Amino acid sequence: MSTSKAIQIILARQLASCVAMPILLVDAEGTLIFYNEPAEAIMDRRFEETGEIPADEWNRGVTVVDEHRNPIAPEDRPMTVARLQRRPISRTIWTRSGDRDWRHLQVTAFPLVGEGGHFLGVMNIFWEI
Amino acid sequence: MQATLWGTRGSLATPGPDTARYGGNTSCVAVRGREGTIVVLDAGTGIRRMAATIDASVRRVDVLLTHLHMDHIQGLGFFAPLYRPEVEVHIWGPASIQLSLQTRLMRYLSPPLFPIGLRELPCELHLHEVPCGEVDIGEFRVATALVCHPGPTVGYRISEAPGKVLTYLPDHEPALGARAFPSLPRAWTSGGALAEGSDLLIHDSQYTTQEYSNHIGWGHSSLRHMLDFGTLVEVKHLVPFHHDPGHSDADLDRLMAEAIDEAKPVYRVTPGREGMAFEV
């Protein structure tokens, strides 16, 4: 028997697929397992073309700085905080993919916790400022 | 293993002359292994007649509940082995985030809804919460996973050496939220891994395509979605199940024929009728 994504992750992707806010889903290991069409502008690539992206690879491709344009260390990025510290976090960031234009975003990241406290991953919701 | 359908109706028991062939009892399937293991899938009203087939010498029965909607537990209080002190009854079912399986079952098996409380049952009762990965029950290996249906709901995949597989997904809406179904691979489809390559898949078939459009989110499949799901998971034999209480025998004959003619599945389809038995 192969493995399926957890039903909560499947439903989270279904939700992300039909809302206008950019959404990224990462699994418990930090692999980017899905991003919706609105998020493709932030990622500067299409999910249909990339599929899942390992944590180190996609973190390298995206620059994230704070309101004052100071770099945010990988371990302090909202998604990583939500994943490793298992708590929700919301903050304002500037980000760009490769050498594209900077985007000013509000990001909220929160852990997805299933039955029995089983940690499933993180949902990241962005809002263009 | 042998699977016998004791209740094929969804939502509400529907006895009467118009439903006599497909059956009016709600969900219950008995699975018997070659070494004598008895697993009962769901405890709808069909379980009462099923219990009468359990030999007095049997000392253990496992009841696997997919979820606790009334049509899947209404027969539980009428399951004769619960009243035999010499029998171990193992009930497997989902807890909720806040309530244990025992607490949830006691809401039904206690006054005023039922005269006998769970704690008063004479049998040796064991409760097990699912999903719990894979477990061995007698000669069966049973895998469980949450699937798309309102409230905590699981499907069961029962394997028996040498590799025969029965999967039971009586209440399942894998198409929920999908712009087109199926458009994603099995790993991203509810129940995909559970049903993958099954020799026999017993699956929700509650609605017509038109009916489904008015019941999105209610947790059930259209006939077309069920058939397309069967193709996606490469099932060998599909049994449409959990028939809508509003569908008469004549309706089901017509709807099944139309859906199969339209989808043209490459696998075998046998609409589930009460009393049918399948060798897997």
Side-chain angles (χ1 to χ4, degrees), chain B residues 33-118:
Chain B
R34 298 186 199 289
E35 296 172 18
T37 297
I38 301 174
V39 164
V40 184
L41 299 168
D42 277 330
T45 60
I47 202 172
R48 189 189 63 81
R49 283 185 63 222
M50 183 272 146
T53 69
I54 297 175
D55 192 87
S57 64
V58 168
R59 291 291 175 267
R60 172 173 173 157
V61 182
D62 289 73
V63 179
L64 279 52
L65 304 174
T66 55
H67 62 307
L68 273 59
H69 285 167
M70 188 56 90
D71 55 323
H72 293 255
I73 62 168
Q74 192 174 5
L76 193 57
F78 301 88
F79 186 51
L82 291 174
Y83 302 93
R84 295 181 190 153
E86 72 279 13
V87 179
E88 275 182 43
V89 178
H90 294 253
I91 299 178
W92 305 72
S96 69
I97 297 296
Q98 300 294 335
L99 301 176
S100 68
L101 173 63
Q102 177 173 336
T103 302
R104 300 181 79 209
L105 280 174
M106 284 172 65
R107 287 182 166 181
Y108 166 48
L109 289 173
S110 63
L113 294 180
F114 198 74
I116 311 294
L118 199 64

Side-chain angles (χ1 to χ4, degrees), chain B residues 125-206:
Chain B
L125 184 64
H126 301 265
L127 300 180
H128 308 271
E129 294 186 348
V130 294
C132 56
E134 292 191 348
V135 294
D136 291 327
I137 300 176
E139 65 265 44
F140 297 133
R141 171 147 292 192
V142 180
T144 59
L146 289 168
V147 297
C148 190
H149 186 72
T153 303
V154 300
Y156 291 102
R157 178 184 174 98
I158 301 175
S159 308
E160 183 187 45
K164 293 293 184 182
V165 173
L166 179 156
T167 301
Y168 180 66
L169 294 166
D171 291 50
H172 188 212
E173 187 179 8
L176 181 63
R179 291 174 182 166
F181 182 81
S183 59
L184 298 175
R186 279 198 288 259
W188 277 100
T189 301
S190 169
L194 276 183
E196 179 181 41
S198 295
D199 296 282
L200 189 72
L201 170 61
I202 300 172
H203 194 280
D204 189 336
S205 64
Q206 182 132 353

Side-chain angles (χ1 to χ4, degrees), chain B residues 9 16 32 52 92 126 181 191 225-226 263:
Chain B
R9 190 64 54 173
R32 292 174 184 260
W92 305 72
H126 301 265
F181 182 81
H225 288 156
M226 170 200 65

Side-chain angles (χ1 to χ4, degrees), chain A residues 29-105:
Chain A
E29 285 72 45
T31 300
L32 181 59
I33 54 174
F34 180 69
Y35 49 99
N36 64 1
E37 282 185 28
E40 290 176 348
I42 296 171
M43 296 295 295
D44 194 30
R45 40 192 164 175
R46 298 188 61 237
F47 182 73
E48 294 302 323
E49 294 166 355
T50 65
E52 298 186 3
I53 307 175
D56 55 344
E57 182 182 331
W58 80 270
N59 273 323
R60 273 200 312 271
V62 179
T63 306
V64 184
V65 300
D66 67 14
E67 279 284 30
H68 308 291
R69 304 295 183 122
N70 298 313
I72 299 177
E75 64 271 21
D76 292 329
R77 293 182 178 185
M79 189 179 305
T80 308
V81 170
R83 185 169 68 85
L84 298 181
Q85 299 181 25
R86 309 278 166 91
R87 65 178 176 87
I89 180 171
S90 186
R91 68 181 296 183
T92 303
I93 61 171
W94 288 89
T95 184
R96 71 171 175 175
S97 183
D99 57 358
R100 296 284 181 158
D101 292 339
W102 286 96
R103 289 173 174 273
H104 197 197
L105 302 167

Side-chain angles (χ1 to χ4, degrees), chain B residues 215-227:
Chain B
H215 297 85
I216 293 170
W218 288 42
H220 298 291
S221 289
S222 69
L223 285 156
R224 183 59 197 250
H225 288 156
M226 170 200 65
L227 292 167

